[in-house]
Amino acid sequence: MKAHIYINGIHALPPQLKKDKSLKSEIVENPYDLRERMKDETIAEKIIVAFLPFLEVRHYELYMHLQKTTPNLKIFFIVSELSSNMRIRLRADNNFIVMWKTEETSLVKNIHKYLDGKAVESRQDRREHATSKGLLSPSKLPLGQNKGFQPILGGSFENLSPHGTCMKIQAPFYEHKDFVNLTYQNKEGDFVSLEGQVRWSKWNKETATQELGVQFLSSVIV
């Protein structure tokens, strides 16, 4: 039998779930009706997707009680914001999956990833798609000595969060653990300069770009 998806917190099925015929999806508007709707023990996999504008501990306790007492059930939260207590909980608990509203288009992909037994990453911070370009250069701070010549390069952001970004540049000059400086223009039109460290890098042969995961050395407002 197909995996059964129970949608809570919205009034209509997301288009991507309507299109995927390998999943059976239904809306359950009242979360207290979920237990009754999930009684069918012949369903091999059950997933609740809870859309919440704000996730706090009381929501977590309600849904996690369902997960603990219902066989083969997994909870996906799609949120616009997390309480500070839930951010702490997210760092310590991997029994539930948090996706940000900005990641909603990846919902079906992440459901299939979970059903295939693969890990689905929960992020503590919302990631915004950034349309502005940026400049990448060696760090201005005496944190460590990068290797080799590293020029100032223009690049594009794939996404941007308060604690980091994924950036694409046109040449493979930066490596894992290198300290860098990023300069870009924010939504208000102000130029922002940030110090960060490369946490991962890979060369994309198809686009001839180096992709860098950069962790900022201090939290910023994007």
Side-chain angles (χ1 to χ4, degrees), residues 113-159:
K113 195 173 179 180
Y114 163 72
L115 292 173
D116 289 340
K118 300 175 182 176
V120 180
E121 182 181 6
S122 291
R123 305 184 191 279
Q124 296 177 48
D125 298 303
R126 178 174 52 251
R127 293 197 168 193
E128 303 285 354
H129 293 290
T131 57
S132 63
K133 302 292 184 180
L135 290 175
L136 185 72
S137 60
S139 174
K140 300 174 183 177
L141 300 177
L143 297 171
Q145 190 66 39
N146 294 359
K147 297 178 181 178
F149 171 70
Q150 294 172 320
I152 298 175
L153 293 170
S156 60
F157 295 111
E158 184 172 302
N159 51 55

Side-chain angles (χ1 to χ4, degrees), residues 79-95:
V79 305
S80 297
E81 191 51 79
L82 290 173
S83 71
S84 56
N85 286 336
M86 280 309 306
R87 289 178 186 274
I88 295 170
R89 184 87 57 149
L90 187 57
R91 288 196 291 269
D93 190 346
N94 62 359
N95 290 321

